[in-house]
Amino acid sequence: MTSLRIAAAQSTSVAGDIATNVLIHTRFITAAHQAGVDLLVFPELSLSGYELPRLSDCLVQPDDLCLAPIRELVRQTRITVVVGAPLLHGNKPAPSIAAITFFPDGTSSVYCKQHLHPGEAQYVAPGDTGCQRHEVRDTSYALAICADTSHPSHAHAAAATGAALYLAGVLVSEAGYAADSAQLAQYAQQFNIGVLMVNHGGPSGGYLAAGQSAFWAPGGQPVVAVPGTGNALLIAENDAGHWRGEVHTVTT
């Protein structure tokens, strides 16, 4: 892989407030630009919060006017940005929990969560199976959303596309963090793929997120992790195959 800086936007969402959350996103994008980041990933449902009963009131589409500040910053900074949002996709009868990727050339793509947690099915529809592979600075990556990562077949499918990175936006609590992070580290080792976990930095939808966003290098070696909760920009840099990390505080 060529020199690359990817980042996790460990952020806290305001429940159901798209406008305020867009502003939070723009501040993270600005901080990432100042840090020379090429690819920035936000947590699951970062634009709405993990507010399942309210998702139908928070639906967005990539070209919505309310997301124009994000699209414009992506164009200006040339950073590829992945945000979490509920949206209607295809012919699904209910919203999907999605990751919207905004590319610097003005295009976008949508990935929808395939594996749902218990209790989610009454509010959202699962996405279609399969993994999409994208590229940033000649490095390929695939996306995952929270419960996707609890299914080894999903990480295997990502690796099978030839992706070098597995990027997961999640909402993980303190109770679930040890098991979930261990599984992601295992994927990095088993599939020889870099793994980025992007968690919420505070409470969302009644859950107390653990924060502690992290990156594991291909082979499973831990590179960098946020020490706790709160708003933070975690950066993992690959230079000629060597990974190193850093963490910055972000004021929102």
Side-chain angles (χ1 to χ4, degrees):
M1 291 186 289
T2 57
S3 179
L4 175 72
R5 284 168 71 83
I6 65 173
Q10 180 174 298
S11 52
T12 303
S13 302
V14 179
D17 190 339
I18 300 293
T20 297
N21 292 329
V22 166
L23 180 60
I24 292 170
H25 280 59
T26 61
R27 289 173 176 165
F28 268 91
I29 297 170
T30 298
H33 176 58
Q34 293 170 348
V37 167
D38 302 297
L39 171 66
L40 177 65
V41 185
F42 284 84
E44 177 182 25
L45 292 175
S46 59
L47 281 172
S48 62
Y50 189 78
E51 307 293 332
L52 295 179
R54 303 173 64 177
L55 291 188
S56 292
D57 298 323
C58 299
L59 299 179
V60 298
Q61 290 294 326
D63 60 353
D64 281 354
L65 182 61
C66 65
L67 303 185
I70 294 176
R71 293 193 301 270
E72 178 60 19
L73 262 184
V74 167
R75 185 190 66 80
Q76 291 177 6
T77 63
R78 313 301 295 172
I79 300 174
T80 297
V81 176
V82 183
V83 305
L87 54 74
L88 289 172
H89 190 63
N91 297 318
K92 302 292 183 181
S96 292
I97 295 175
I100 305 173
T101 303
F102 294 104
F103 300 102
D105 65 0
T107 62
S108 63
S109 70
V110 172
Y111 168 78
C112 296
K113 185 177 184 177
Q114 298 174 25
H115 301 281
L116 302 182
H117 285 294
E120 288 182 341
Q122 71 179 102
Y123 300 105
V124 298
D128 298 329
T129 58
C131 287
Q132 306 167 356
R133 190 182 78 174
H134 300 287
E135 288 200 2
V136 57
R137 291 180 59 83
D138 300 321
T139 299
S140 57
Y141 65 90
L143 300 175
I145 302 174
C146 209
D148 288 336
T149 67
S150 65
H151 296 261
S153 60
H154 189 273
H156 180 268
T161 69
L165 298 169
Y166 188 58
L167 313 177
V170 303
L171 172 58
V172 175
S173 67
E174 288 281 0
Y177 185 86
D180 288 359
S181 59
Q183 188 156 37
L184 290 170
Q186 174 62 31
Y187 294 156
Q189 179 183 42
Q190 180 179 356
F191 302 118
N192 197 35
I193 192 170
V195 176
L196 180 71
M197 179 182 69
V198 190
N199 200 8
H200 283 255
S204 192
Y207 291 89
L208 296 177
Q212 301 176 70
S213 297
F215 179 78
W216 296 267
Q221 181 69 24
V223 174
V224 61
V226 179
T229 56
N231 293 318
L233 184 70
L234 175 143
I235 299 172
E237 180 180 18
N238 176 43
D239 186 7
H242 174 71
W243 285 97
R244 68 174 190 87
E246 59 198 68
V247 176
H248 302 258
T249 300
V250 176
T251 302
T252 60

